[in-house]
Amino acid sequence: MKTDPLDRLISMSRQSSPPDPGDPPPFLHMRVVAAMRAAGETSAQREWAVFSLGSLPLAAAIAVVCAWQQPHSVSPETTVILEEDAAGLIASALIDSTIPQP
Amino acid sequence: MFETPDEAARAWRTAGDESAARWLTEHLWPLLAHIALRHLPRGAAVEDLVQESLARAFTRIDQWNPARPFEPWVCTIATHLCLDALRHRKRRPEWSWSDLNDAEKSACRAAHSDSAVDPSVTSGGSALLEKLLDTLSPVDRVIITLLHLEQMEVLEISKLTGVSRVMVRVRAHRARHKLKKALEQLEASSVP
C-alpha cells in the first residue's frame, strides 16, 4: 500500500534534527526586565489617556448640572432685594431726568 | 537555588524576587526558544519572542494559578505570541517548483516515491514542509505543527491554542487537505 506523500514528508521532517536554540543570549534577563518596565509605562500612559478622554464628558456633565441648578441657586429673598434695588435705581434715574438742571 | 520552575514562579509572585526571574529566564530559554523555532518561519527573531513571553508572564504573574504548573502556562503565552506574530505577516506565499532548492526538490520526489526515504533528504523534507506550512493560516499552521511534528494530543493543542477540540480536528483535517493539494501541485509542476 502506497504511503501518503504528505505523511512521508512529515516523517522526513520528524527525522531531521530540530534546530538547536543554543545557550540563552547574554543579558536576556536584563532585556526581559526592560521590556516589563516599558510595558508598565505604556499601560500607565494608556490609563492617563483614558482618564483625560473620560474627563471631557465628566466636565460636560458637571457643567450641565451647574447650569441647570443656576436659577435655583438664588434664593427668593435675594431676588426680591435685587428687584428692589433695580426699582430704586430706575426711580432715581427718572427723578433725576424730570428735575431741571441748574 | 530553586528546585523547580513552580517554586521560582511562586517566589516571583509573592515577593517579586529578582533572582527567581533570572533563574526562570535561564531555565525556560530552551523550551520557549524551541516553541518559537517550531512555529515561526526561519530567520524570525526567536530571542524577541522569548523575551516578550517572559516579560508577559512575569507582568501577569497574578493570573497564574499556583496550584497548576508554571511551564504550560508560559508555553500557552508563547504559543499565542507566535500566533500573533504569524498573523502580522503581510501575505502567505504560493510556492512553485522553481522556488524550491535542490534538496527540497529531492525531498518532494522522495515523498511521492514508494522507495525508502534516504536520510540525506530529510533536511530538504523539513524545509519543504515548512514552505508548505507557510501557505496555511496561522492557526492551521500551529495546529498541524503541534499535531504532526510535536505529536501532541488534541486536548493539549486545544489548551495551548484556545481552539475547541472539535475545531482542532476539523481544522487539522482541512489543513491536511490543503497541504496534500499543494504538494500534488508542486509535483505536477515538476514535470516539464
Side-chain angles (χ1 to χ4, degrees):
Chain A
M1 187 180 166
K2 191 180 176 182
T3 320
D4 187 345
L6 180 61
D7 287 334
R8 283 172 71 88
L9 196 63
I10 288 168
S11 169
M12 279 186 233
S13 192
R14 273 192 216 136
Q15 284 170 29
S16 73
S17 53
D20 181 20
D23 293 329
F27 310 117
L28 179 64
H29 173 67
M30 305 297 281
R31 285 172 57 186
V32 170
V33 171
M36 283 163 59
R37 283 189 186 138
E41 282 171 14
T42 310
S43 65
Q45 282 171 358
R46 276 190 199 142
E47 278 171 22
W48 271 110
V50 167
F51 179 75
S52 60
L53 278 175
S55 63
L56 283 172
L58 184 68
I62 290 169
V64 166
V65 169
C66 287
W68 182 73
Q69 285 187 341
Q70 192 70 28
H72 304 282
S73 63
V74 181
S75 65
E77 292 82 9
T78 313
T79 311
V80 169
I81 289 164
L82 285 172
E83 281 170 357
E84 282 174 357
D85 286 349
L89 283 170
I90 292 165
S92 64
L94 280 170
I95 290 163
D96 286 347
S97 63
T98 51
I99 295 170
Q101 297 294 320
Chain B
M1 185 180 282
F2 296 99
E3 292 293 322
T4 61
D6 295 354
E7 188 189 335
R10 274 193 288 274
W12 170 254
R13 190 174 191 263
T14 50
D17 186 350
E18 282 272 340
S19 63
R22 187 187 292 269
W23 188 89
L24 281 169
T25 302
E26 287 168 9
H27 183 82
L28 294 175
W29 160 257
L31 180 69
L32 298 176
H34 175 77
I35 291 171
L37 285 166
R38 265 296 189 208
H39 295 306
L40 298 182
R42 282 181 193 185
V46 171
E47 288 178 25
D48 288 350
L49 189 121
V50 174
Q51 176 192 309
E52 182 62 27
S53 305
L54 287 168
R56 198 169 281 196
F58 293 158
T59 313
R60 300 178 184 181
I61 192 74
D62 290 341
Q63 295 173 16
W64 170 60
N65 179 3
R68 294 186 173 188
F70 183 70
E71 277 185 353
W73 186 69
V74 182
C75 288
T76 308
I77 291 174
T79 307
H80 279 272
L81 285 172
C82 285
L83 276 170
D84 286 345
L86 290 169
R87 284 187 188 114
H88 279 99
R89 296 177 73 204
K90 285 184 179 169
R91 65 182 187 88
R92 295 199 289 274
E94 287 179 8
W95 303 107
S96 65
W97 186 255
S98 57
D99 296 321
L100 306 184
N101 60 31
D102 290 341
E104 290 161 356
K105 285 175 183 173
S106 302
C108 188
R109 289 196 191 100
H112 283 89
S113 72
D114 293 332
S115 55
V117 175
D118 184 353
S120 64
V121 299
T122 53
S123 63
S126 179
L128 177 60
L129 183 62
E130 196 175 307
K131 278 189 170 170
L132 293 174
L133 288 172
D134 259 353
T135 62
L136 297 177
S137 73
V139 178
D140 289 352
R141 178 194 172 114
V142 168
I143 286 174
I144 288 287
T145 305
L146 295 174
L147 191 66
H148 292 300
L149 299 180
E150 298 288 309
Q151 296 177 286
M152 280 188 181
E153 297 291 327
V154 171
L155 180 63
E156 280 180 282
I157 297 169
S158 174
K159 281 180 184 169
L160 268 179
T161 57
V163 179
S164 71
R165 276 182 284 176
V166 176
M167 280 312 292
V168 167
R169 286 198 186 93
V170 171
R171 277 181 170 272
H173 180 75
R174 287 180 187 162
R176 272 186 66 90
H177 183 71
K178 278 184 200 166
L179 288 175
K180 274 183 189 178
K181 204 173 168 184
L183 194 57
E184 278 169 18
Q185 281 173 351
L186 271 180
E187 174 66 7
S189 64
S190 72
V191 182

Short mmCIF file of all heavy atoms in Angstrom, two decimals, chain B residues 51-105:
data_model
loop_
_atom_site.label_atom_id
_atom_site.label_comp_id
_atom_site.label_asym_id
_atom_site.label_seq_id
_atom_site.Cartn_x
_atom_site.Cartn_y
_atom_site.Cartn_z
N GLN B 51 11.76 36.76 24.89
CA GLN B 51 11.78 37.93 25.80
C GLN B 51 10.35 38.42 26.07
O GLN B 51 9.98 38.66 27.21
CB GLN B 51 12.60 39.02 25.13
CG GLN B 51 12.63 40.33 25.89
CD GLN B 51 13.20 41.42 25.02
OE1 GLN B 51 14.26 41.26 24.43
NE2 GLN B 51 12.50 42.53 24.92
N GLU B 52 9.56 38.54 25.03
CA GLU B 52 8.19 39.03 25.17
C GLU B 52 7.34 38.05 26.00
O GLU B 52 6.54 38.47 26.83
CB GLU B 52 7.59 39.22 23.77
CG GLU B 52 6.18 39.78 23.74
CD GLU B 52 6.06 41.16 24.33
OE1 GLU B 52 7.06 41.91 24.29
OE2 GLU B 52 4.98 41.49 24.86
N SER B 53 7.57 36.75 25.76
CA SER B 53 6.81 35.73 26.51
C SER B 53 7.11 35.83 28.00
O SER B 53 6.19 35.81 28.83
CB SER B 53 7.17 34.32 26.04
OG SER B 53 7.00 34.19 24.67
N LEU B 54 8.40 35.94 28.32
CA LEU B 54 8.78 36.00 29.74
C LEU B 54 8.30 37.31 30.37
O LEU B 54 7.80 37.30 31.50
CB LEU B 54 10.30 35.87 29.87
CG LEU B 54 10.86 34.46 29.61
CD1 LEU B 54 12.37 34.50 29.47
CD2 LEU B 54 10.46 33.52 30.73
N ALA B 55 8.45 38.40 29.65
CA ALA B 55 8.02 39.69 30.20
C ALA B 55 6.52 39.66 30.48
O ALA B 55 6.06 40.14 31.52
CB ALA B 55 8.36 40.81 29.22
N ARG B 56 5.77 39.07 29.57
CA ARG B 56 4.32 39.00 29.76
C ARG B 56 3.97 38.09 30.93
O ARG B 56 3.09 38.39 31.74
CB ARG B 56 3.66 38.49 28.48
CG ARG B 56 2.19 38.80 28.43
CD ARG B 56 1.60 38.54 27.09
NE ARG B 56 1.88 39.60 26.15
CZ ARG B 56 1.24 39.76 25.00
NH1 ARG B 56 0.31 38.91 24.66
NH2 ARG B 56 1.53 40.75 24.19
N ALA B 57 4.69 36.96 31.03
CA ALA B 57 4.41 36.03 32.13
C ALA B 57 4.74 36.67 33.48
O ALA B 57 3.98 36.54 34.44
CB ALA B 57 5.23 34.75 31.93
N PHE B 58 5.87 37.37 33.55
CA PHE B 58 6.27 37.98 34.83
C PHE B 58 5.32 39.13 35.20
O PHE B 58 5.02 39.34 36.37
CB PHE B 58 7.70 38.51 34.75
CG PHE B 58 8.74 37.42 34.63
CD1 PHE B 58 9.99 37.68 34.10
CD2 PHE B 58 8.46 36.13 35.04
CE1 PHE B 58 10.95 36.69 33.98
CE2 PHE B 58 9.41 35.12 34.92
CZ PHE B 58 10.65 35.40 34.39
N THR B 59 4.88 39.88 34.18
CA THR B 59 4.00 41.01 34.46
C THR B 59 2.62 40.53 34.93
O THR B 59 2.01 41.15 35.80
CB THR B 59 3.84 41.88 33.19
OG1 THR B 59 5.11 42.11 32.64
CG2 THR B 59 3.18 43.21 33.51
N ARG B 60 2.16 39.44 34.32
CA ARG B 60 0.80 38.95 34.63
C ARG B 60 0.84 37.73 35.55
O ARG B 60 -0.01 36.84 35.43
CB ARG B 60 0.08 38.59 33.34
CG ARG B 60 -0.04 39.79 32.41
CD ARG B 60 -0.69 39.40 31.13
NE ARG B 60 -0.72 40.53 30.21
CZ ARG B 60 -1.26 40.50 29.00
NH1 ARG B 60 -1.81 39.40 28.56
NH2 ARG B 60 -1.23 41.56 28.22
N ILE B 61 1.82 37.70 36.42
CA ILE B 61 2.01 36.52 37.27
C ILE B 61 0.80 36.31 38.19
O ILE B 61 0.53 35.19 38.61
CB ILE B 61 3.32 36.66 38.09
CG1 ILE B 61 3.69 35.34 38.77
CG2 ILE B 61 3.23 37.77 39.10
CD1 ILE B 61 4.24 34.30 37.85
N ASP B 62 0.07 37.39 38.48
CA ASP B 62 -1.13 37.26 39.33
C ASP B 62 -2.19 36.38 38.68
O ASP B 62 -3.05 35.83 39.37
CB ASP B 62 -1.72 38.64 39.62
CG ASP B 62 -0.83 39.44 40.53
OD1 ASP B 62 0.01 38.82 41.21
OD2 ASP B 62 -0.96 40.68 40.56
N GLN B 63 -2.14 36.29 37.35
CA GLN B 63 -3.15 35.49 36.64
C GLN B 63 -2.79 34.00 36.64
O GLN B 63 -3.60 33.17 36.22
CB GLN B 63 -3.29 35.98 35.20
CG GLN B 63 -3.84 37.39 35.11
CD GLN B 63 -3.82 37.93 33.70
OE1 GLN B 63 -3.68 37.19 32.73
NE2 GLN B 63 -3.95 39.24 33.57
N TRP B 64 -1.57 33.67 37.05
CA TRP B 64 -1.16 32.26 37.11
C TRP B 64 -1.69 31.63 38.39
O TRP B 64 -1.58 32.22 39.46
CB TRP B 64 0.37 32.15 37.06
CG TRP B 64 0.87 30.77 37.36
CD1 TRP B 64 0.60 29.64 36.69
CD2 TRP B 64 1.72 30.40 38.46
NE1 TRP B 64 1.23 28.57 37.27
CE2 TRP B 64 1.93 29.01 38.36
CE3 TRP B 64 2.34 31.10 39.48
CZ2 TRP B 64 2.72 28.31 39.27
CZ3 TRP B 64 3.13 30.41 40.39
CH2 TRP B 64 3.31 29.03 40.27
N ASN B 65 -2.28 30.45 38.24
CA ASN B 65 -2.81 29.72 39.39
C ASN B 65 -1.68 28.84 39.96
O ASN B 65 -1.27 27.89 39.29
CB ASN B 65 -3.99 28.86 38.94
CG ASN B 65 -4.58 28.05 40.08
OD1 ASN B 65 -4.14 28.16 41.22
ND2 ASN B 65 -5.58 27.24 39.77
N PRO B 66 -1.17 29.14 41.16
CA PRO B 66 -0.05 28.37 41.70
C PRO B 66 -0.36 26.89 41.91
O PRO B 66 0.55 26.08 42.07
CB PRO B 66 0.24 29.04 43.05
CG PRO B 66 -0.38 30.38 42.95
CD PRO B 66 -1.57 30.24 42.06
N ALA B 67 -1.63 26.54 41.89
CA ALA B 67 -1.99 25.12 42.04
C ALA B 67 -1.68 24.33 40.75
O ALA B 67 -1.67 23.11 40.76
CB ALA B 67 -3.47 25.00 42.37
N ARG B 68 -1.43 25.06 39.68
CA ARG B 68 -1.14 24.41 38.40
C ARG B 68 0.32 24.67 38.02
O ARG B 68 0.90 25.67 38.46
CB ARG B 68 -2.04 24.97 37.31
CG ARG B 68 -3.49 24.59 37.57
CD ARG B 68 -4.37 25.00 36.44
NE ARG B 68 -5.72 24.49 36.62
CZ ARG B 68 -6.65 24.57 35.70
NH1 ARG B 68 -6.39 25.12 34.54
NH2 ARG B 68 -7.85 24.09 35.93
N PRO B 69 0.90 23.80 37.18
CA PRO B 69 2.32 24.00 36.83
C PRO B 69 2.54 25.28 36.01
O PRO B 69 1.67 25.69 35.24
CB PRO B 69 2.67 22.75 36.02
CG PRO B 69 1.38 22.14 35.62
CD PRO B 69 0.35 22.57 36.61
N PHE B 70 3.70 25.87 36.21
CA PHE B 70 4.01 27.17 35.59
C PHE B 70 4.39 27.02 34.12
O PHE B 70 4.00 27.85 33.29
CB PHE B 70 5.17 27.81 36.38
CG PHE B 70 5.54 29.18 35.90
CD1 PHE B 70 4.70 30.26 36.10
CD2 PHE B 70 6.74 29.39 35.24
CE1 PHE B 70 5.04 31.54 35.66
CE2 PHE B 70 7.09 30.66 34.80
CZ PHE B 70 6.24 31.73 35.01
N GLU B 71 5.13 25.96 33.79
CA GLU B 71 5.66 25.82 32.41
C GLU B 71 4.56 25.79 31.34
O GLU B 71 4.67 26.53 30.35
CB GLU B 71 6.54 24.57 32.31
CG GLU B 71 7.95 24.82 32.79
CD GLU B 71 8.86 23.62 32.57
OE1 GLU B 71 8.38 22.55 32.17
OE2 GLU B 71 10.06 23.78 32.82
N PRO B 72 3.51 24.98 31.48
CA PRO B 72 2.47 25.01 30.45
C PRO B 72 1.81 26.38 30.29
O PRO B 72 1.42 26.76 29.19
CB PRO B 72 1.44 23.98 30.95
CG PRO B 72 2.18 23.11 31.87
CD PRO B 72 3.22 23.96 32.50
N TRP B 73 1.72 27.11 31.40
CA TRP B 73 1.12 28.45 31.34
C TRP B 73 1.98 29.37 30.48
O TRP B 73 1.46 30.10 29.63
CB TRP B 73 0.98 28.98 32.77
CG TRP B 73 0.25 30.28 32.87
CD1 TRP B 73 -1.08 30.48 32.65
CD2 TRP B 73 0.80 31.55 33.22
NE1 TRP B 73 -1.39 31.81 32.83
CE2 TRP B 73 -0.26 32.48 33.18
CE3 TRP B 73 2.07 32.00 33.56
CZ2 TRP B 73 -0.08 33.83 33.47
CZ3 TRP B 73 2.26 33.34 33.85
CH2 TRP B 73 1.20 34.24 33.81
N VAL B 74 3.29 29.31 30.68
CA VAL B 74 4.20 30.14 29.88
C VAL B 74 4.18 29.67 28.41
O VAL B 74 4.24 30.50 27.50
CB VAL B 74 5.63 30.10 30.44
CG1 VAL B 74 6.55 31.01 29.65
CG2 VAL B 74 5.64 30.52 31.88
N CYS B 75 4.09 28.37 28.21
CA CYS B 75 4.05 27.83 26.84
C CYS B 75 2.81 28.34 26.10
O CYS B 75 2.87 28.63 24.91
CB CYS B 75 4.03 26.30 26.85
SG CYS B 75 5.59 25.59 27.33
N THR B 76 1.69 28.45 26.83
CA THR B 76 0.46 28.98 26.21
C THR B 76 0.68 30.42 25.79
O THR B 76 0.29 30.82 24.68
CB THR B 76 -0.71 28.89 27.22
OG1 THR B 76 -0.77 27.56 27.71
CG2 THR B 76 -2.02 29.26 26.57
N ILE B 77 1.33 31.21 26.65
CA ILE B 77 1.61 32.61 26.32
C ILE B 77 2.50 32.67 25.07
O ILE B 77 2.23 33.43 24.13
CB ILE B 77 2.30 33.31 27.51
CG1 ILE B 77 1.32 33.47 28.67
CG2 ILE B 77 2.85 34.68 27.10
CD1 ILE B 77 1.93 34.01 29.94
N ALA B 78 3.54 31.84 25.04
CA ALA B 78 4.47 31.84 23.90
C ALA B 78 3.76 31.42 22.61
O ALA B 78 3.98 32.02 21.55
CB ALA B 78 5.64 30.91 24.18
N THR B 79 2.88 30.43 22.71
CA THR B 79 2.14 29.97 21.51
C THR B 79 1.23 31.07 20.99
O THR B 79 1.15 31.29 19.77
CB THR B 79 1.31 28.71 21.85
OG1 THR B 79 2.16 27.74 22.44
CG2 THR B 79 0.67 28.12 20.62
N HIS B 80 0.57 31.77 21.90
CA HIS B 80 -0.31 32.87 21.47
C HIS B 80 0.50 34.00 20.83
O HIS B 80 0.05 34.61 19.86
CB HIS B 80 -1.13 33.38 22.65
CG HIS B 80 -2.33 32.53 22.93
ND1 HIS B 80 -3.54 32.73 22.33
CD2 HIS B 80 -2.48 31.43 23.70
CE1 HIS B 80 -4.40 31.81 22.74
NE2 HIS B 80 -3.77 31.01 23.58
N LEU B 81 1.69 34.26 21.36
CA LEU B 81 2.54 35.29 20.76
C LEU B 81 3.02 34.87 19.37
O LEU B 81 3.14 35.70 18.47
CB LEU B 81 3.73 35.60 21.67
CG LEU B 81 3.38 36.43 22.92
CD1 LEU B 81 4.58 36.51 23.85
CD2 LEU B 81 2.94 37.83 22.54
N CYS B 82 3.29 33.57 19.20
CA CYS B 82 3.66 33.05 17.88
C CYS B 82 2.51 33.26 16.90
O CYS B 82 2.73 33.68 15.76
CB CYS B 82 3.99 31.56 17.94
SG CYS B 82 5.58 31.20 18.67
N LEU B 83 1.30 32.98 17.36
CA LEU B 83 0.12 33.17 16.50
C LEU B 83 -0.02 34.64 16.11
O LEU B 83 -0.29 34.95 14.95
CB LEU B 83 -1.14 32.71 17.24
CG LEU B 83 -1.45 31.23 17.17
CD1 LEU B 83 -2.56 30.87 18.14
CD2 LEU B 83 -1.88 30.83 15.76
N ASP B 84 0.20 35.53 17.08
CA ASP B 84 0.13 36.97 16.78
C ASP B 84 1.19 37.35 15.74
O ASP B 84 0.92 38.11 14.82
CB ASP B 84 0.36 37.79 18.06
CG ASP B 84 -0.85 37.75 18.97
OD1 ASP B 84 -1.93 37.34 18.50
OD2 ASP B 84 -0.72 38.13 20.14
N ALA B 85 2.40 36.82 15.93
CA ALA B 85 3.50 37.14 15.00
C ALA B 85 3.17 36.63 13.59
O ALA B 85 3.43 37.31 12.61
CB ALA B 85 4.80 36.53 15.49
N LEU B 86 2.58 35.44 13.51
CA LEU B 86 2.21 34.89 12.20
C LEU B 86 1.09 35.70 11.56
O LEU B 86 1.07 35.89 10.35
CB LEU B 86 1.77 33.42 12.35
CG LEU B 86 2.88 32.42 12.69
CD1 LEU B 86 2.29 31.07 13.06
CD2 LEU B 86 3.83 32.24 11.51
N ARG B 87 0.17 36.19 12.38
CA ARG B 87 -0.94 36.99 11.85
C ARG B 87 -0.45 38.32 11.30
O ARG B 87 -1.06 38.89 10.40
CB ARG B 87 -1.97 37.27 12.95
CG ARG B 87 -2.83 36.07 13.26
CD ARG B 87 -3.95 36.42 14.23
NE ARG B 87 -4.63 35.22 14.64
CZ ARG B 87 -4.63 34.74 15.88
NH1 ARG B 87 -3.97 35.36 16.83
NH2 ARG B 87 -5.28 33.63 16.18
N HIS B 88 0.65 38.83 11.85
CA HIS B 88 1.16 40.13 11.39
C HIS B 88 1.95 40.03 10.09
O HIS B 88 2.40 41.06 9.58
CB HIS B 88 2.02 40.78 12.49
CG HIS B 88 1.18 41.46 13.51
ND1 HIS B 88 0.88 40.87 14.73
CD2 HIS B 88 0.54 42.65 13.51
CE1 HIS B 88 0.11 41.69 15.42
NE2 HIS B 88 -0.11 42.77 14.70
N ARG B 89 2.17 38.82 9.63
CA ARG B 89 2.88 38.69 8.35
C ARG B 89 1.96 39.18 7.23
O ARG B 89 0.76 38.97 7.26
CB ARG B 89 3.29 37.23 8.11
CG ARG B 89 4.26 36.74 9.15
CD ARG B 89 4.58 35.30 8.93
NE ARG B 89 5.45 35.14 7.78
CZ ARG B 89 5.54 34.02 7.07
NH1 ARG B 89 4.81 33.00 7.37
NH2 ARG B 89 6.35 33.94 6.05
N LYS B 90 2.58 39.85 6.26
CA LYS B 90 1.74 40.55 5.27
C LYS B 90 0.98 39.60 4.36
O LYS B 90 -0.16 39.82 4.05
CB LYS B 90 2.62 41.49 4.44
CG LYS B 90 2.98 42.72 5.25
CD LYS B 90 3.76 43.71 4.46
CE LYS B 90 4.08 44.93 5.34
NZ LYS B 90 5.03 45.80 4.73
N ARG B 91 1.62 38.55 3.91
CA ARG B 91 0.90 37.65 2.99
C ARG B 91 1.46 36.25 3.12
O ARG B 91 2.57 36.05 3.62
CB ARG B 91 1.03 38.13 1.54
CG ARG B 91 2.44 38.08 1.03
CD ARG B 91 2.57 38.59 -0.37
NE ARG B 91 3.92 38.38 -0.87
CZ ARG B 91 4.34 37.30 -1.48
NH1 ARG B 91 3.51 36.29 -1.66
NH2 ARG B 91 5.57 37.18 -1.90
N ARG B 92 0.67 35.31 2.66
CA ARG B 92 1.14 33.92 2.65
C ARG B 92 1.61 33.60 1.24
O ARG B 92 0.86 33.82 0.27
CB ARG B 92 -0.01 32.99 3.07
CG ARG B 92 -0.44 33.23 4.51
CD ARG B 92 -1.20 32.06 5.05
NE ARG B 92 -2.50 31.91 4.48
CZ ARG B 92 -3.58 32.53 4.92
NH1 ARG B 92 -3.49 33.34 5.95
NH2 ARG B 92 -4.74 32.35 4.34
N PRO B 93 2.81 33.09 1.11
CA PRO B 93 3.35 32.88 -0.24
C PRO B 93 2.73 31.67 -0.93
O PRO B 93 2.16 30.80 -0.29
CB PRO B 93 4.84 32.64 0.03
CG PRO B 93 4.89 32.10 1.41
CD PRO B 93 3.74 32.69 2.16
N GLU B 94 2.86 31.66 -2.23
CA GLU B 94 2.48 30.47 -3.03
C GLU B 94 3.74 29.99 -3.71
O GLU B 94 4.41 30.76 -4.41
CB GLU B 94 1.41 30.85 -4.06
CG GLU B 94 0.06 31.11 -3.43
CD GLU B 94 -0.98 31.50 -4.46
OE1 GLU B 94 -0.69 31.42 -5.66
OE2 GLU B 94 -2.07 31.90 -4.04
N TRP B 95 4.07 28.74 -3.48
CA TRP B 95 5.34 28.22 -3.99
C TRP B 95 5.13 27.47 -5.31
O TRP B 95 4.14 26.79 -5.49
CB TRP B 95 5.97 27.27 -2.97
CG TRP B 95 6.20 27.89 -1.63
CD1 TRP B 95 5.50 27.66 -0.48
CD2 TRP B 95 7.19 28.86 -1.29
NE1 TRP B 95 5.98 28.42 0.55
CE2 TRP B 95 7.02 29.17 0.09
CE3 TRP B 95 8.21 29.52 -1.99
CZ2 TRP B 95 7.82 30.09 0.75
CZ3 TRP B 95 9.00 30.43 -1.32
CH2 TRP B 95 8.81 30.71 0.02
N SER B 96 6.12 27.62 -6.16
CA SER B 96 6.12 26.83 -7.40
C SER B 96 7.42 26.01 -7.42
O SER B 96 8.33 26.23 -6.59
CB SER B 96 6.03 27.74 -8.62
OG SER B 96 7.18 28.54 -8.70
N TRP B 97 7.51 25.10 -8.36
CA TRP B 97 8.67 24.20 -8.44
C TRP B 97 9.99 24.97 -8.53
O TRP B 97 10.99 24.60 -7.94
CB TRP B 97 8.50 23.26 -9.64
CG TRP B 97 9.55 22.21 -9.74
CD1 TRP B 97 10.60 22.18 -10.61
CD2 TRP B 97 9.69 21.05 -8.91
NE1 TRP B 97 11.36 21.07 -10.39
CE2 TRP B 97 10.82 20.36 -9.34
CE3 TRP B 97 8.94 20.53 -7.85
CZ2 TRP B 97 11.24 19.17 -8.77
CZ3 TRP B 97 9.37 19.34 -7.27
CH2 TRP B 97 10.51 18.68 -7.73
N SER B 98 9.96 26.09 -9.28
CA SER B 98 11.19 26.88 -9.47
C SER B 98 11.65 27.57 -8.18
O SER B 98 12.80 28.00 -8.08
CB SER B 98 10.99 27.92 -10.56
OG SER B 98 9.91 28.75 -10.22
N ASP B 99 10.75 27.68 -7.19
CA ASP B 99 11.14 28.31 -5.92
C ASP B 99 11.90 27.34 -5.00
O ASP B 99 12.49 27.77 -4.01
CB ASP B 99 9.89 28.80 -5.16
CG ASP B 99 9.16 29.88 -5.89
OD1 ASP B 99 9.83 30.75 -6.49
OD2 ASP B 99 7.92 29.85 -5.90
N LEU B 100 11.85 26.06 -5.32
CA LEU B 100 12.48 25.06 -4.44
C LEU B 100 13.96 24.91 -4.77
O LEU B 100 14.36 25.01 -5.93
CB LEU B 100 11.79 23.70 -4.60
CG LEU B 100 10.27 23.65 -4.41
CD1 LEU B 100 9.80 22.19 -4.50
CD2 LEU B 100 9.85 24.25 -3.09
N ASN B 101 14.76 24.67 -3.72
CA ASN B 101 16.17 24.36 -3.97
C ASN B 101 16.31 22.86 -4.25
O ASN B 101 15.32 22.11 -4.20
CB ASN B 101 17.06 24.82 -2.80
CG ASN B 101 16.69 24.15 -1.49
OD1 ASN B 101 16.23 23.00 -1.49
ND2 ASN B 101 16.88 24.85 -0.38
N ASP B 102 17.53 22.42 -4.53
CA ASP B 102 17.74 21.03 -4.96
C ASP B 102 17.32 20.04 -3.87
O ASP B 102 16.71 19.00 -4.18
CB ASP B 102 19.22 20.81 -5.31
CG ASP B 102 19.59 21.54 -6.61
OD1 ASP B 102 18.65 21.87 -7.37
OD2 ASP B 102 20.78 21.81 -6.84
N ALA B 103 17.66 20.36 -2.62
CA ALA B 103 17.31 19.45 -1.52
C ALA B 103 15.80 19.31 -1.38
O ALA B 103 15.27 18.21 -1.15
CB ALA B 103 17.91 19.98 -0.21
N GLU B 104 15.11 20.43 -1.53
CA GLU B 104 13.64 20.40 -1.41
C GLU B 104 13.01 19.64 -2.60
O GLU B 104 12.02 18.92 -2.42
CB GLU B 104 13.11 21.83 -1.34
CG GLU B 104 13.45 22.53 -0.02
CD GLU B 104 13.36 24.04 -0.09
OE1 GLU B 104 13.10 24.57 -1.19
OE2 GLU B 104 13.57 24.68 0.94
N LYS B 105 13.59 19.82 -3.79
CA LYS B 105 13.08 19.08 -4.96
C LYS B 105 13.27 17.57 -4.76
O LYS B 105 12.37 16.77 -5.05
CB LYS B 105 13.81 19.54 -6.22
CG LYS B 105 13.35 20.90 -6.73
CD LYS B 105 14.19 21.37 -7.89
CE LYS B 105 13.75 22.76 -8.34
NZ LYS B 105 14.62 23.34 -9.36
#
